[in-house]
Amino acid sequence: MTDRKLDGKVAVITGGSSGIGLATARLFIAHGAHVVIAGRNEAALQSAKRDLGGNVFTVRADVSRPAELKLLMRTAHDALGPIDVLFANAGISECPDIFDTGESFLTS
Ligand SMILES: NC(=O)c1ccc[n+]([C@@H]2O[C@H](COP(=O)([O-])OP(=O)(O)OC[C@H]3O[C@@H](n4cnc5c(N)ncnc54)[C@H](OP(=O)(O)O)[C@@H]3O)[C@@H](O)[C@H]2O)c1
């Protein structure tokens, strides 16, 4: 790939061991990024690492737990330096239907 839009950049992808996160990790690596993928299951992370080849660093973390999220960011920073891209991919939205969304939801 000649157009390496993320050359040398550090990217953290939560939920990087499968699906959209894994596909994004593959694309970011192809664009020259140093990628950190995070997920809860260590075996899935290692499988993704084998799948992705080089330039990937794994961190086991449950992003619904603030302490683990903090540790993920600290570990990524310590390993690869300042983080340029964060893809907060893991998680589900609990927003109500858009027609049921009011100010009280936004401020709660
Ligand atoms: N696929 C779709 O059609 C679609 C449509 C709209 C929105 N989305 C959203 O896009 C995102 C990715 O979807 P996907 O289909 O690619 O999902 P997926 O294949 O099920 O992958 C989810 C990834 O997130 C990780 N994960 C789940 N809970 C986590 C947690 N608490 N902490 C850290 N990692 C966690 C999983 O690994 P572990 O289980 O090992 O933690 C896995 O790597 C999700 O937020 C989903 O809601 C998907």
Side-chain angles (χ1 to χ4, degrees):
M1 181 173 293
T2 52
D3 187 14
R4 287 163 62 93
K5 294 178 179 167
L6 295 173
D7 226 0
K9 300 289 185 192
V10 174
V12 174
I13 302 173
T14 66
S17 57
S18 77
I20 295 167
L22 179 59
T24 303
R26 188 173 291 112
L27 185 64
F28 281 9
I29 289 167
H31 276 281
H34 303 286
V35 171
V36 179
I37 56 170
R40 296 165 301 179
N41 184 299
E42 183 63 33
L45 286 169
Q46 292 312 315
S47 167
K49 186 182 171 89
R50 283 192 297 278
D51 192 14
L52 291 167
N55 259 6
V56 67
F57 189 84
T58 65
V59 179
R60 204 213 63 75
D62 181 339
V63 298
S64 70
R65 298 181 174 179
E68 294 189 24
L69 186 53
K70 202 176 269 186
L71 189 61
L72 160 63
M73 302 312 284
R74 192 178 308 127
T75 305
H77 183 277
D78 288 352
L80 298 174
I83 295 157
D84 301 294
V85 181
L86 171 63
F87 181 24
N89 162 70
I92 54 167
S93 168
E94 292 183 347
C95 292
D97 184 282
I98 191 158
F99 296 109
D100 296 329
T101 306
E103 273 179 37
S104 60
F105 177 75
L106 295 173
T107 55
S108 65

